[in-house]
């Protein structure tokens, strides 16, 4: 219920841990996107959805990118594709530490 | 038949001696209750020894963990150096690879913020063979 904080009254934590990654977590371990989510929540708190989608767009985009890593993976894919293309053409040889023949790093 | 003296296998003169044909089922050994008692006693002794050794092992494990805690700055520094080295190598390779690709900004940050974002294993192992990435991600799970 929105205005009756029943869970604090009863001293139980039924679903507060579920609601946001930035909430209190067991063993105090921060999630991967804790900072981004906190920024976005602090930016978009109490201003309503329409205003938040306009004013907090940057924080939202960073948070979304942190969670799904779409832009990161696309970049990595482009680099890999270009590398394979250049190896096929013969214009590029990978340096020794990228060939997999050296000792693997721990 | 003729009464000739043929050599046959006959009993000894005077017959055989006495044969003991009576049942011989001696009552020996422990009773059922005492066998249970001996078994349970041995088990209890075993459990007690095991419990003591497990407590000793737990003390040894705590010692190992405390040694790791003492070494954590070193391990963290090594890990960070490793990560930065791999990121640097990837940046240089990316510069050589994407020279001729139009509109590509080398080392472009996908986030709008200037904060440090921990790199994913995919980012670190992007230009290495796929097995290394798989080993990094799942090698610990498969370790026996």
């Amino acid at each position: 219920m929105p205005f009756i904080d029943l869970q604090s009254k009863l001293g139980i934590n039924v679903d507060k841990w579920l609601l946001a990654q930035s909430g209190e977590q067991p063993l105090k371990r921060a999630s991967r996107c804790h900072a981004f989510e906190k920024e976005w929540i602090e930016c978009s708190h109490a201003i309503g959805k329409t205003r938040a989608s306009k004013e907090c767009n940057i924080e939202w985009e960073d948070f979304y990118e942190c969670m799904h890593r779409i832009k990161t993976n696309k970049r990595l894919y482009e680099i890999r594709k270009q590398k394979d293309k250049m190896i096929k053409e013969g214009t590029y040889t990978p340096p020794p530490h990228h060939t997999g023949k050296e000792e693997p790093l721990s | 038949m003729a009464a000739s003296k043929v050599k046959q296998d006959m009993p000894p003169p005077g017959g055989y001696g006495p044969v003991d044909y009576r049942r011989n089922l001696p009552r020996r050994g422990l009773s059922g209750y005492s066998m249970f008692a001996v078994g349970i006693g041995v088990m209890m002794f075993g459990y007690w020894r095991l419990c003591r050794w497990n407590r000793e092992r737990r003390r040894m494990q705590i010692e190992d963990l405390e040694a790791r805690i003492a070494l954590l700055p070193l391990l963290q520094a090594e890990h960070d150096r490793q990560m930065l080295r791999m990121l640097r190598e990837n940046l240089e390779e990316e510069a050589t690879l994407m020279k001729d690709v139009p509109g590509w900004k080398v080392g472009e940050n996908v986030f709008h913020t200037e904060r440090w974002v921990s790199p994913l294993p995919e980012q670190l192992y992007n230009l290495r063979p796929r097995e290394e990435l798989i080993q990094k991600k799942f090698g610990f799970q498969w370790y026996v």
Side-chain angles (χ1 to χ4, degrees):
Chain A
M1 264 160 267
F3 297 105
I4 314 170
D5 198 0
L6 196 60
Q7 291 189 55
S8 321
K9 283 212 172 69
L10 295 173
I12 50 174
N13 187 357
V14 171
D15 66 348
K16 280 197 266 214
W17 54 274
L18 268 181
L19 294 176
Q21 287 180 30
S22 316
E24 192 179 323
Q25 296 296 333
L27 298 175
K28 309 283 181 228
R29 291 167 55 165
S31 64
R32 191 194 272 179
C33 303
H34 181 281
F36 293 109
E37 193 188 19
K38 205 155 157 42
E39 293 282 297
W40 178 61
I41 289 176
E42 280 172 358
C43 166
S44 64
H45 175 67
I47 57 177
K49 190 166 167 184
T50 336
R51 265 183 67 191
S53 60
K54 280 200 295 282
E55 295 174 19
C56 301
N57 200 33
I58 295 181
E59 282 88 357
W60 165 249
E61 274 189 9
D62 278 348
F63 180 42
Y64 197 83
E65 169 61 27
C66 176
M67 279 204 290
H68 300 280
R69 304 277 176 167
I70 297 179
K71 294 188 249 185
T72 315
N73 285 336
K74 185 161 177 301
R75 251 184 94 84
L76 295 174
Y77 177 63
E78 302 275 314
I79 295 176
R80 262 207 321 269
K81 220 170 52 163
Q82 176 74 5
K83 173 183 168 193
D84 292 335
K85 191 170 101 158
M86 283 177 83
I87 288 183
K88 215 163 76 120
E89 289 168 5
T91 35
Y92 175 77
T93 34
H97 52 260
H98 280 167
T99 51
K101 300 284 191 313
E102 282 193 351
E103 265 283 314
L105 313 161
S106 60
Chain B
M1 260 339 246
S4 51
K5 290 284 183 206
V6 182
K7 198 158 170 62
Q8 281 184 321
D9 192 11
M10 296 298 285
Y16 286 107
V19 169
D20 192 5
Y21 59 88
R22 274 184 294 269
R23 229 161 69 123
N24 185 17
L25 298 171
R27 273 199 61 103
R28 58 175 295 192
L30 303 164
S31 70
Y33 292 121
S34 358
M35 281 202 282
F36 270 127
V38 166
I40 291 176
V42 169
M43 270 169 52
M44 289 291 126
F45 175 69
Y47 292 154
W48 172 73
R49 272 261 291 263
L50 202 56
C51 178
R52 278 216 328 197
W53 175 236
N54 279 344
R55 287 184 182 161
E56 181 62 29
R57 278 174 74 203
R58 189 169 288 279
R59 284 193 282 270
M60 292 204 257
Q61 193 207 18
I62 290 178
E63 188 182 339
D64 288 345
L65 289 176
E66 299 218 324
R68 179 176 171 267
I69 290 174
L71 288 175
L72 266 182
L74 174 70
L75 297 170
Q76 185 67 38
E78 278 187 356
H79 177 81
D80 288 343
R81 271 195 290 265
Q82 178 82 296
M83 198 168 63
L84 289 175
R85 192 164 75 94
M86 293 178 81
L87 283 175
R88 180 79 206 165
E89 287 166 357
N90 282 354
L91 184 70
E92 287 167 359
E93 290 307 312
E94 189 189 337
T96 22
L97 280 172
M98 309 302 273
K99 264 198 316 290
D100 306 319
V101 176
W104 186 266
K105 281 189 277 299
V106 177
E108 177 191 14
N109 190 8
V110 288
F111 295 99
H112 300 286
T113 177
E114 295 291 325
R115 270 202 302 261
W116 170 256
V117 180
S118 283
L120 296 173
E122 280 81 7
Q123 280 174 279
L124 294 173
Y125 285 84
N126 190 34
L127 295 166
R128 292 169 178 261
R130 187 130 176 115
E131 288 79 30
E132 284 194 22
L133 174 65
I134 293 175
Q135 184 72 23
K136 172 85 163 49
K137 286 175 82 164
F138 305 111
F140 185 71
Q141 261 182 313
W142 292 338
Y143 174 74
V144 282

